[in-house]
Amino acid sequence: MTKPLHPNLNVDALFLGPKSENAVFFREMMDYAVNEHMYWRSGFHPEDSASVTSVDRYEHNYRETLYRTEGILNQLSAKLKNTSIPFFSPRYLGHISSDTLMVSNLAYVMAMMYNPNNCSYEASPTTTELELESGLDLCRMFGYNPQQSWGHITSGGTVANYEGLWVARNLKTLPFAAFQHPKAKDLVNHKSPNQLKNMPTAEILDLISELQQRGIFEEIRDMTCRGTGVKPEILGKLLVPQSKHYSWMKAADIFGIGQENIIPLPVNENYQIDIAQMRKITFELIEQGESILAMIAVVGTTEVGAIDRIDEVIALRKECEERYGESFYLHVDAAYAGYACAMLLDEQGEFIEYDDLASCHRSIGIMPENISWPKPEVYKSFRALKEADSITVDPHKVGFIQYAAGAICMKDKRILDLISSHAAYVFEENADKTTPAARNRGILGSSIMEGSKSGATAAALWAAHRLLPLNISGYGKVIAAGIVTAQRLLDKLTNLPPIAVGKHQFEVHIMPSPDFHMINFTFKEVGNENLNSHNALNKRLYELCSYSTGRAYANDFLTSSTILNYKEYGDTPRHYAEQCGFSRSEWEKVRRIYVLRAAVMTYCLRDEEHFNEFWEQLQSIFVKKLNQLVDEEEKKARLELGLDAPLMG
């Protein structure tokens, strides 16, 4: 990975800024990008005559067309300014969105004008290689061997998750296809029927290599589900934590797995996979002779930012292999927190030992003395990522790249042979493959779920990785800013005294001990024992702090929300409801709790003085919003004969 020319990166110089502080530089570079492209066009075969003359440009309909173009762009600008969400501001603490890197925005615009299509090397010789290089950057960050692994950009984490399940599905059926083929049966004849169902991933990949050496791989591949269709009794069960992203339910539908074959893994009070329950469910499935299609673990859940114990999942898989001779495919959905791995790597890309991590963070000034990250178990999870078979990560989240930029990394690129397809006009099957560039020509389009895709995103990601290496002194600095701000905000909210609004008092309750920089919290009226009223209160607060009540640009604080309910999480949210002061019987009656949700990604508040100024403003905003809410409720109460009902009752 390319090292930065100047390791002492200034984080404030990376973004346009909440007040467009870097506007002069950004405009200069934008002009440069546009001018370079125009020179490129005009310099292509200068002997060719221009298709439009000066006389043509003065024609009435020509100028009218330009005026109409200008008018449409003016309309679009007005629409965007009127209703877009100001993610760039520290006043926005909601979804997993923040300001985006200037270098990525500029690189995107620069490449976009060349209109590369990364489905075909012929249409994108430059950006295809940038995408593959960026994919390997991510593979290295997770600890994969860059000579054996492979990664690429998707439109988002959803498609990356689909691709992970796609390869797991096709992988699962290969041993059965080999067993049915007379020229390959000897390779798996020593396996019991149950062991055939749950062969270790590494063994199946070695089987691919052996089948290719025998010259029968493609013939047998056509006998897998790729050729014969899905057989649920072979694919088996998909183990997914209760904290899953919604994409997994859609994936089960799309790939013919069936949602009835999804087994939810219970989560603990911290919304991580419950290790004891995971072990129990896995052992029971194996002992019952069930096939396990794959296990999914999450590094950064979308609702609370929880990080599953990847090391424990790896230990379980190893135990299954030793105890039963059976295993399972492991895909890690690290869409949200995957980039945080950079905070744990030195400038050579090696993991810093946990005992040295805090001093390393402080020595380069990214963490103050009173704040440290991560917890020991979170650190172990990141170190174990290299053992996962595939990993989803979203550059458009904590990579600070503009949409749409997801990615998937695969530990062993041999797995691509199970999903690759060929179209001669796209993939140049007969082209020369003697150089690395030539060998790369078909690898993207033939081995991904999407078809045509923008090469501009690849340019944006490549440029970001060149400016900000995936290590402690690159991306680590930017990500640390959000973590520091989140920890300070968590401390302030935890110690915030009740807020008095007339005869009402409101206290803040925080979901404890986040694994990353997602803060979930609620406001509770002191003395209220009605969970439905509590939920209505926080739902209304969300509406007052979002686009729901009008133009977001005019709001002084923006956040997001979610609902933690029994249907998705079982009784896990009960612990937080009880922490808020609601009885178990009240939880049993309602079984859902509405929470405010803030992904604290801003880099602007890492300085303590700036944070304290923001906190003073935020307290005033809370008072203002609660006053507005109380006024609304009192007006309703007066309309209802002046009844002194509980707030939001």
Side-chain angles (χ1 to χ4, degrees), residues 172-190:
K172 173 63 68 174
T173 58
L174 185 71
F176 289 92
F179 184 76
Q180 294 167 8
H181 196 286
K183 294 182 180 179
K185 188 173 183 178
D186 63 296
L187 296 173
V188 292
N189 218 13
H190 61 289

Side-chain angles (χ1 to χ4, degrees), residues 578-622:
E578 290 178 344
Q579 176 194 321
C580 292
F582 296 103
S583 65
R584 179 171 295 202
S585 61
E586 184 65 12
W587 165 256
E588 293 292 340
K589 185 167 61 177
V590 179
R591 287 187 164 182
R592 64 199 297 269
I593 187 163
Y594 194 102
V595 299
L596 303 176
R597 167 180 169 269
V600 185
M601 295 175 60
T602 179
Y603 67 94
C604 301
L605 303 176
R606 66 192 187 280
D607 178 79
E608 192 165 13
E609 183 179 346
H610 290 159
F611 175 82
N612 288 335
E613 180 182 340
F614 167 80
W615 173 244
E616 291 301 317
Q617 292 175 335
L618 188 58
Q619 289 181 89
S620 299
I621 292 167
F622 286 158

Side-chain angles (χ1 to χ4, degrees), residues 376-396:
E377 61 270 23
V378 169
Y379 174 85
K380 290 178 182 178
S381 290
F382 277 106
R383 287 209 72 154
L385 283 174
K386 64 182 180 181
E387 303 298 335
D389 296 307
S390 53
I391 302 170
T392 289
V393 61
D394 275 359
H396 64 214

Side-chain angles (χ1 to χ4, degrees), residues 83-94:
T83 55
S84 291
I85 307 299
F87 298 120
F88 58 82
S89 172
R91 289 177 180 269
Y92 181 87
L93 299 177

Side-chain angles (χ1 to χ4, degrees), residues 50 52-59 62-63:
V52 178
T53 67
S54 298
V55 174
D56 294 333
R57 286 195 289 270
Y58 281 93
E59 290 287 341
Y62 193 101
R63 298 181 69 81

